[in-house]
């Protein structure tokens, strides 16, 4: 039959016995080292994931409370004794349009001159009739922008005169801090932002339900504000960023794709194209602030384009995004099998037709992903924008890409530097949540579109 | 003695069973070094090897032949548990080296691989000097007590691999700078340096030119004096030239196994006959 | 200029030219002659030649129109006004433009201002009409000449393809122009700076105190680069000390140990860190990490400031982790499996294989990743602006605040200083230093990585 098991001859094993002994002696130590190494790897991953977790949870922890803000609902009496203005002018037949406009403007100016603070103060005091409080303290509870709201209400409807209506008013940043406990309640009066009576009144309003926390929609609809921090919002910065992203998409995508097509499909392989390749790869790693210097020297100082304009910001970000798009498009083109090109060329298509009709369409998912990654990167970029003046305070929502504007990341930069740290730390985190949310959305769109495009193929 | 003190003599009746595929009784049998019974290998859901049973005798060359994808390399990699490194790979059945089950949980694959060395299809010297390539194994296993010990191991390994005269003046140059054939002999020297009992060779000549191949084949013949060698080859001529026993694999089955001359001159199975006469493969 | 009118005119012309070319070519095809190119190519060609001259005219006006208008305004002004200082003259010109555009100005408008504005209004209307007419005329000439060329033998497709080729090359040049623009503007402004301060004082000076431009023109203050360079290197070194071990171990674990499932989950989460805008890291450093490190410091009896080289460096390290881990991941995965198997087959443990074979084999690539990471660390701006403390002194203690090259660029260019003052221009000398440093690192990394890739391809 076949071999049966017999132990190997003695003599063959003499040398190997000693050898095995040595190997076994080392095994314990070696396996311990293996376990330590593996533990190090797990520790590194835990550290990296831990950072992600801490970062996101800190931002959410600090930022989410800022999405609700204290609102005070009180009865506002448009007291004829304070609101002493003539009736709103009515256009009569002989009046020209211009004359009527002038009269109306004149009336509105008079309305603005009304002591709206007094109206406010009366409504606040009326809400707590038994509470002794001085004017300044009473007014410090609601945001300064609210008096303009009363004015606007009256302008829109002069019939309010003498009437009493319920108005929901934004509490001031300081009152919000106090009510949320953002400021240490045990601090002595000298270190508090509100006077003792204002603090007590705020608490009392909170208790009897006139003061309530509500979702702060105005973060999305208002522009930045210095005089009324509680009403400051992101709309202006958002529109500024939107303009810049439009500029980036309109310029960087076609230029980037075309230059990738040229370099990958048409350009001869020689020292010069090699130089372009190195140049593009280097540009992708040039610090963003250097692009800001380029913008300041060329666009602002040489071409005299306006400071703080989203157009200029968009141009700078375009130059920054270009290498990303070129590199990604090139690798997408490289991944197209040569057989596709040969097939198209084989049926008599010209080189240009082959590339534009057959090769390029295959790479659309890749280009799309690269575009969105590039745009997301540009959306979060701050440093170069500081150098072209986008850190200026802008209270309006820009109407065109040439008007001064801020941008989301720059708004974050400005808010983190605000003196009212108690209030703006949360507000800054809220802005970060919005920015990260936008970026997440962009990436989700990219994944979705990519999946769809690839399914169609 | 050589037996591990915690030696596991498999209790299962598999171990004592005779190999069924071995068709020819040997006149004077060599001692068996590696014994496999009913070995099956699965990659995920897919079964790649079906109930392979074989005995590998000591100090001889056993060749595995068969068309590509027949499972011969898979089986070879089971013999020193290199399949452990492949995700989702599962081995069932019994493989014993010197009577102890190599898949026993208490057996250390690191130790096993020091006893069962391996030479791969493509020469794969490490990006180190020639000296360091050969010294790698002895160093990690702590086999050399001193610098001169190590020098001796490196020299004798390179001698045995027939490379010493070609490289003795440039031991500290990169191993990757050698020619393909030299690189493969370096890899063999590297494997010998830990003095394994068994050397597995996975198509060691497939990436080499005919002259380098002839050189390696000579070397394998010399190494047979001291080592048990299992070689996978897609070349029947090579199997015929270097091996004493040959096993023919087909579609994951071990079809037939026996002394090489018998397999090549009078195979029993039709499939074996078809393969060695070049009908397919 | 009224862009909407111009744009619609251009579109109209484009459509007309295309239609004309198409119908002429079509007629020819119908008449049975064998034509070289399809009608669409003829049409595109005609449209292109009609649009190009018109665009050229408009482009010239966009470039030089402003200068022309300015010259015209100056010509309208009395000599006593034109001899005013540059700044006053600028104000006058702006006032006139405001009056002309109908927005009105602060204060009473001078008679000469009104008349100049009146003249300007006429000039504008006239030039606008003239420019549009010229554009239309040249376009028409182009169109006429182009459509006359249409005949069966015209190789319109080849011509269009040549035009496309030129367009593609033009796009590829943008990347080069960007580099040229960066180098030229940095060099030019830096040289202007060196007319105020000698390069030796700048590059080897150990004191940084640039003074304010309002305290007098010229080079008041000291512009020594070394304190800033020191700060930059210290922060970058701390960042690398954090990022290299964590990033590398993460890459090693994910490529060598982790199951595909774990890898599929962990890798994207860590790469999430790379997508977070740097301003967010800066804020995180300022608000969370800084106080935390300072707390640890005081617990250990060390003086660590909340804003310090350590704070900025640690957070920057976190930012760089995904950068190092994904680059190393790529590099490690390129090491042939055969090499790993060779080591495992000799009985090496996995960690021995990694440390003695895989990592040495991947070393050039890892060095490349390391260099790119250093380049990124020294160019990073927002984290250090917020968290490094802005204190430009040569200090050894990483727990103290420092300043860096990038921080100083931002500080010098965002103040109210005159662009031509050394206080502003020094930003460009700093930018040049930064650019050269990162260029060397980037190019070195590119070449190392490229040679590494070729080795295993």
């Amino acid at each position: 039959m076949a071999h049966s098991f017999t132990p190997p001859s003695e003599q063959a094993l003499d040398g190997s016995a000693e050898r095995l002994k040595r190997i076994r002696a080392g095994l314990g130590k070696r396996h311990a080292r293996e376990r330590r190494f593996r533990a190090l790897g797990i520790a590194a991953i835990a550290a990296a994931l831990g950072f992600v977790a801490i970062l996101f949870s800190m931002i959410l922890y600090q930022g989410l409370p800022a999405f609700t803000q204290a609102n005070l609902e009180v009865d506002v009496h448009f007291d004829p004794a304070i609101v002493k203005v003539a009736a709103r002018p009515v256009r009569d037949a002989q009046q020209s349009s211009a004359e009527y406009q002038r009269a109306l403007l004149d009336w509105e100016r008079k309305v603005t001159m009304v002591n709206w603070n007094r109206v406010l103060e009366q409504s606040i005091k009326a809400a707590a009739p038994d509470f002794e409080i001085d004017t300044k303290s009473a007014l410090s509870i609601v945001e300064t922008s609210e008096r303009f709201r009363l004015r606007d209400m009256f302008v829109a409807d002069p019939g309010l005169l003498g009437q009493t209506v319920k108005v929901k008013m934004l509490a001031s940043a300081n009152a919000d801090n106090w009510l949320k406990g953002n400021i240490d309640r045990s601090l002595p009066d000298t270190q508090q932002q509100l006077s003792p009576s204002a603090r007590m009144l705020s608490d009392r309003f909170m208790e009897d339900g006139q003061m309530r926390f509500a979702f702060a929609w105005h973060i999305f609809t208002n522009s930045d504000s210095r005089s009324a921090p509680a009403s400051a919002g992101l709309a202006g910065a958002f529109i500024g960023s939107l303009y810049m992203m439009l500029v980036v998409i309109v310029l960087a995508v076609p230029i980037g794709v075309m230059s990738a097509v040229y370099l990958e499909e048409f350009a001869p392989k020689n020292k010069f194209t090699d130089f372009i390749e190195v140049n593009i790869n280097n540009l992708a790693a040039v610090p963003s602030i250097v692009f800001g210097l380029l913008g300041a020297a060329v666009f602002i100082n040489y071409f005299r384009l306006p400071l703080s304009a989203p157009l200029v910001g968009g141009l700078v970000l375009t130059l920054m995004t270009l290498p990303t798009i070129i590199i990604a498009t090139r690798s997408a083109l490289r991944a197209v099998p040569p057989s596709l090109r040969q097939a198209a060329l084989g049926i008599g298509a010209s080189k240009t037709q082959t590339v534009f009709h057959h090769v390029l369409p295959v790479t659309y998912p890749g280009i799309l992903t690269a575009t969105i990654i590039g745009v997301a990167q540009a959306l979060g970029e701050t440093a170069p924008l500081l150098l072209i003046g986008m850190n200026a305070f802008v209270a309006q929502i820009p109407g065109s890409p040439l008007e001064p504007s801020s941008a989301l990341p720059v708004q974050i930069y400005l808010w983190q530097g605000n003196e009212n740290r108690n209030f703006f730390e949360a507000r800054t985190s809220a802005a970060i949540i919005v920015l990260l949310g936008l970026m997440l959305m962009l990436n989700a769109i990219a994944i979705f579109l990519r999946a769809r495009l690839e399914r169609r193929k | 003695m050589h037996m591990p003190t915690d030696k596991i003599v498999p209790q299962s009746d598999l171990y004592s069973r005779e190999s069924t595929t071995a068709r020819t009784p040997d006149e004077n049998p060599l001692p068996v070094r590696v014994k496999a019974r009913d070995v099956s290998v699965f990659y995920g859901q897919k079964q790649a090897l079906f109930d392979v049973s074989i005995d590998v005798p000591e100090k001889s060359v056993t060749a595995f032949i068969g068309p590509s994808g027949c499972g011969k390399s898979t089986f070879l990699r089971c013999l020193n548990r290199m399949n452990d490194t492949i995700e989702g790979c599962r081995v069932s059945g019994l493989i014993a080296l010197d009577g102890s089950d190599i898949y026993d949980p208490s057996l250390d694959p690191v130790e096993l691989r020091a006893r069962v060395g391996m030479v791969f299809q493509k020469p794969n010297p490490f990006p180190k000097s020639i000296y360091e390539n050969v010294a790698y194994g002895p160093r990690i296993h702590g086999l050399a007590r001193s610098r001169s010990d190590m020098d001796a191991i490196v020299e004798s390994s390179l001698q045995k691999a027939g490379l010493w005269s070609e490289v003795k003046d440039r031991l500290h140059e990169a191993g990757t700078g050698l020619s393909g054939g030299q690189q493969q002999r370096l890899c063999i020297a590297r494997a010998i340096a830990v003095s394994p009992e068994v050397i597995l060779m996975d198509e060691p000549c497939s990436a080499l030119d005919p002259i380098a191949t002839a050189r390696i084949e000579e070397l394998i013949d010399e190494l047979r004096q001291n080592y048990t060698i299992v070689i996978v080859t897609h070349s029947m001529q090579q199997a015929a030239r270097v091996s004493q026993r040959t096993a023919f694999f087909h579609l994951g089955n071990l079809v037939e196994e026996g002394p090489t001359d018998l397999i090549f001159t009078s195979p029993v199975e039709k499939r074996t006959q078809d393969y060695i006469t070049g009908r397919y493969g | 200029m009224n862009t909407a009118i111009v744009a619609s005119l251009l579109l109209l012309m484009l459509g007309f030219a295309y239609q004309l070319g198409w119908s002429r070519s079509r007629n020819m095809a119908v008449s049975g002659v064998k034509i070289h190119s399809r009608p669409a190519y003829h049409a595109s060609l005609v449209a292109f030649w009609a649009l190009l001259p018109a665009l050229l005219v408009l482009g010239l006006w966009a470039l030089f129109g402003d200068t022309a208008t300015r010259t015209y305004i100056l010509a309208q002004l009395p000599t006593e006004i034109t001899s005013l200082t540059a700044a006053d003259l600028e104000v006058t010109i702006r006032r006139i433009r405001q009056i002309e555009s109908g927005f009105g100005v602060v204060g009473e408008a001078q008679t000469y201002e009104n008349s100049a504005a009146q003249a300007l209004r006429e000039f504008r209307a006239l030039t606008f009409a003239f420019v549009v007419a010229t554009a239309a005329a040249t376009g028409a000439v182009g169109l006429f000449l182009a459509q006359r060329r249409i005949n069966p033998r015209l190789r319109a497709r080849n011509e269009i393809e040549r035009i496309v080729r030129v367009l593609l090359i033009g796009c590829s040049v943008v990347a080069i122009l960007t580099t040229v623009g960066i180098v030229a503007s940095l060099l030019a402004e830096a040289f202007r700076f060196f007319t105020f301060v000698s390069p030796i004082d700048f590059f080897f000076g150990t004191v940084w105190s640039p003074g304010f431009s309002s305290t007098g023109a010229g080079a008041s203050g000291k512009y020594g680069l070394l304190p800033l360079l020191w700060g930059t290197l210290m922060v970058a070194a701390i960042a690398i000390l954090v990022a290299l071990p964590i990033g590398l171990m993460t890459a090693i674990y994910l490529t060598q140990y982790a199951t595909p499932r774990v890898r599929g989950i962990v890798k994207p989460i860590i790469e999430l860190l790379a997508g977070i805008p740097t301003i967010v890291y800066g804020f995180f450093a300022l608000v969370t990490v800084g106080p935390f490190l300072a707390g640890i410091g005081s617990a250990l009896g060390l003086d660590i400031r909340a804003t310090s080289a350590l704070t900025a460096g640690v957070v920057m390290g976190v930012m760089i982790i995904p950068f190092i881990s994904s680059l190393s991941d790529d590099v490690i995965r390129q090491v042939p499996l055969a090499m790993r198997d060779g080591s495992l087959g000799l009985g090496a443990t996995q960690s021995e294989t990694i440390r003695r074979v895989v990592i040495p084999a991947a070393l050039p690539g890892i060095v490349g990743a390391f260099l790119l990471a250093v380049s990124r660390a020294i160019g990073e701006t927002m984290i250090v602006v917020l968290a490094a403390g802005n204190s430009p002194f040569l200090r050894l203690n990483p727990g103290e605040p420092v300043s860096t090259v990038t921080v100083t660029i931002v500080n010098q260019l965002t103040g109210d200083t005159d662009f031509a003052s050394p206080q502003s221009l020094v930003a460009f000398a700093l930018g040049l230093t930064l650019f050269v440093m990162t260029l060397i690192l980037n190019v070195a990394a590119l070449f190392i990585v490229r040679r590494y890739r070729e080795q295993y391809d």
Side-chain angles (χ1 to χ4, degrees), chain A residues 137-347:
Chain A
S137 296
L139 285 174
S140 70
I141 294 176
V142 293
E143 192 46 274
T144 53
S145 56
E146 292 304 330
R147 56 174 188 250
F148 300 116
R149 201 148 72 92
L150 294 185
R151 178 203 60 192
D152 292 345
M153 282 171 70
F154 182 75
V155 167
D157 179 14
L160 285 172
L161 190 67
Q163 305 246 356
T164 301
V165 284
K166 264 203 179 319
V167 180
K168 207 166 120 188
M169 291 187 286
L170 204 54
S172 71
N174 291 341
D176 194 64
N177 278 341
W178 170 255
L179 290 168
K180 278 182 185 153
N182 284 345
I183 190 163
D184 187 353
R185 282 177 160 243
S186 61
L187 284 176
D189 286 353
T190 49
Q191 289 176 37
Q192 290 286 357
Q193 292 163 314
L194 289 176
S195 65
S197 53
R199 289 180 343 241
M200 278 168 71
L201 186 57
S202 305
D203 282 341
R204 184 184 146 156
F205 280 146
M206 200 71 194
E207 268 163 38
D208 61 23
Q210 298 190 76
M211 185 83 91
R212 259 193 304 256
F213 286 111
F215 191 78
W217 288 108
H218 62 269
I219 289 183
F220 302 99
T221 54
N222 281 8
S223 213
D224 195 11
S225 169
R226 274 185 183 168
S227 53
S231 73
L234 287 169
F238 176 79
I239 298 294
S241 277
L242 188 71
Y243 283 139
M244 286 197 289
M245 293 311 112
L246 285 179
V247 173
V248 170
I249 290 171
V250 166
L251 289 178
V253 176
I255 296 179
V257 170
M258 293 226 250
S259 90
V261 165
Y262 178 73
L263 292 174
E264 202 55 43
E265 302 286 335
F266 294 101
K269 298 275 170 272
N270 56 29
K271 280 257 186 289
F272 181 65
T273 44
D274 208 44
F275 168 72
I276 297 185
E277 166 127 26
V278 171
N279 172 47
I280 288 172
N281 282 323
N282 174 55
L283 267 188
V286 164
S288 62
I289 191 154
V290 171
F291 286 93
L293 286 170
L294 172 74
V298 175
F299 296 136
I300 304 286
N301 197 40
Y302 186 74
F303 285 118
R304 298 266 162 212
L305 289 172
L307 269 173
S308 313
L311 176 70
V312 182
L315 287 175
V316 170
L317 294 180
T318 297
L319 296 182
M320 255 186 63
T321 316
L322 214 48
T324 312
I325 293 183
I326 296 178
I327 292 171
T329 309
R330 285 188 72 171
S331 67
L333 285 169
R334 223 170 290 149
V336 176
S339 56
L340 186 68
R341 293 182 185 85
Q342 282 148 13
L345 289 172
I347 54 165

Side-chain angles (χ1 to χ4, degrees), chain B residues 37-62:
Chain B
R37 290 295 176 274
D38 288 353
V39 174
S40 294
V41 176
F42 303 82
Y43 292 117
Q45 294 300 312
K46 199 175 147 273
Q47 188 166 3
L49 213 58
F50 300 85
D51 300 326
V52 173
S53 299
I54 192 170
D55 291 330
V56 176
E58 188 186 33
K59 290 189 181 166
S60 64
V61 178
T62 304

